[in-house]
């Protein structure tokens, strides 16, 4: 069965530190890849997505992610985090043409001033 | 432009009861998906509706059923509630093969 693994369950950083959250998926075929963010008390919002083309994708609020097909990975990065980035981050994949999203268990990010 | 709206926001039910959750998709969207998010977990796909038909289904028992109306809004019904059904239920809308937009969710507590 397809699955998504997020290896960092809880990350604590100081403001201005760099961030990298890992995401790996298990499926050998063509997938679409997503990172969603859930700020405290808010709904899931799309940070960025990869459908095809340039494997380095840029999203909102300075986030970017790189799709490495050979490693089945889609890691999220931000060079300098802010206190307002405190949230839960979810990696998700869907198999092309199915629209069913498979989510990882999420990474809770806490940023301290 | 309203996003995805869900009602109610919170709900408390007793074991064995039945519950109906509602979702209005983002304007222009024709596909509605439902997810269950248990505490500390990522959302789990329940099913998806398109053109008033269930198009895909996840690994959920038949106690979970749904409906999509001609205006694309949708309902999720859960029968014979169990304590383990306590979770945040998320509705997402999309156009076919595009990214999903999520609502705030309905927090269901079964006691």
């Amino acid at each position: 069965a397809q699955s998504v693994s997020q290896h960092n369950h809880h990350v604590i950083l100081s403001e201005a530190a760099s961030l990298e959250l890992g995401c790996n998926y298990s499926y050998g075929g063509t997938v679409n890849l997503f990172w969603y963010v859930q700020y405290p008390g808010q709904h899931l919002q799309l940070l960025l997505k990869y459908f095809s083309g340039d494997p380095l994708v840029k999203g909102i609020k300075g986030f970017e992610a790189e799709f490495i097909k050979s490693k089945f990975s889609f890691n999220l990065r931000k060079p300098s985090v802010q206190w307002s980035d405190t949230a839960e981050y979810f990696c998700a994949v869907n198999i092309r043409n199915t629209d069913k999203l498979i989510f990882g268990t999420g990474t809770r990010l806490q940023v301290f001033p | 432009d309203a996003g995805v709206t869900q009602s109610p926001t919170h709900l408390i039910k007793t074991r064995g009861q039945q519950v109906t959750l509602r979702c209005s998709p983002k304007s222009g969207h024709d596909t509605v998906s439902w997810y269950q998010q248990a505490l500390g977990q990522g959302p789990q796909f329940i099913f998806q509706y398109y053109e008033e038909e269930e198009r895909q289904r996840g690994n959920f028992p038949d106690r979970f059923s749904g409906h999509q109306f001609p205006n694309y809004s949708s309902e999720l019904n859960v029968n014979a509630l169990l304590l383990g059904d306590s979770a945040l239920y998320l509705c997402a809308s999309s156009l076919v093969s595009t990214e999903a937009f999520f609502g705030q969710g309905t927090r269901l507590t079964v006691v």
Side-chain angles (χ1 to χ4, degrees):
Chain A
Q2 302 85 30
S3 65
V4 175
S5 298
Q6 292 183 243
H7 312 296
N8 317 101
H9 298 292
H10 190 189
V11 173
I12 301 173
L13 295 172
S14 299
E15 274 193 319
S18 64
L19 171 72
E20 180 158 3
L21 301 182
C23 173
N24 288 90
Y25 66 93
S26 64
Y27 181 70
T30 305
V31 295
N32 299 320
L33 298 150
F34 308 83
W35 276 96
Y36 282 87
V37 60
Q38 193 168 31
Y39 297 104
Q42 296 189 28
H43 61 281
L44 276 168
Q45 301 172 42
L46 183 67
L47 262 184
L48 47 78
K49 63 186 179 186
Y50 173 80
F51 279 15
S52 63
D54 188 344
L56 183 62
V57 293
K58 295 190 184 299
I60 60 171
K61 304 187 181 186
F63 286 91
E64 66 177 31
E66 185 176 13
F67 172 47
I68 302 179
K69 190 174 182 179
S70 61
K71 295 184 178 180
F72 299 92
S73 69
F74 190 54
N75 292 352
L76 180 70
R77 299 194 292 252
K78 185 170 183 179
S80 176
V81 294
Q82 300 174 314
W83 174 79
S84 58
D85 293 324
T86 294
E88 187 108 27
Y89 291 80
F90 293 94
C91 180
V93 305
N94 73 13
I95 298 164
R96 207 56 76 78
N97 300 321
T98 68
D99 292 337
K100 165 188 171 181
L101 282 169
I102 302 166
F103 283 86
T105 53
T107 297
R108 184 181 172 211
L109 172 65
Q110 282 184 290
V111 180
F112 289 97
Chain B
D1 176 25
V4 180
T5 57
Q6 292 185 242
S7 63
T9 53
H10 294 85
L11 203 52
I12 300 175
K13 289 287 190 178
T14 304
R15 275 180 299 176
Q17 284 189 313
Q18 178 264 345
V19 67
T20 297
L21 311 182
R22 295 176 176 83
C23 172
S24 292
K26 183 177 169 62
S27 177
H29 285 181
D30 57 9
T31 302
V32 173
S33 303
W34 287 92
Y35 292 81
Q36 180 195 66
Q37 186 177 13
L39 206 60
Q41 300 295 317
Q44 299 287 316
F45 177 80
I46 303 175
F47 43 52
Q48 182 183 81
Y49 279 84
Y50 172 69
E51 292 189 341
E52 302 179 52
E53 297 284 333
E54 183 182 289
R55 198 159 78 118
Q56 294 181 77
R57 189 177 183 92
N59 294 326
F60 280 80
D62 292 344
R63 297 188 298 110
F64 289 76
S65 63
H67 189 77
Q68 186 179 34
F69 298 95
N71 66 353
Y72 307 118
S73 67
S74 177
E75 288 182 350
L76 163 66
N77 300 292
V78 187
N79 294 322
L81 284 166
L82 303 173
L83 294 178
D85 295 331
S86 295
L88 181 67
Y89 287 85
L90 297 169
C91 173
S93 74
S94 62
L95 291 169
V96 173
S97 298
T98 65
E99 69 264 28
F101 289 76
F102 284 81
Q104 291 265 27
T106 295
R107 172 73 61 190
L108 172 64
T109 302
V110 183
V111 297

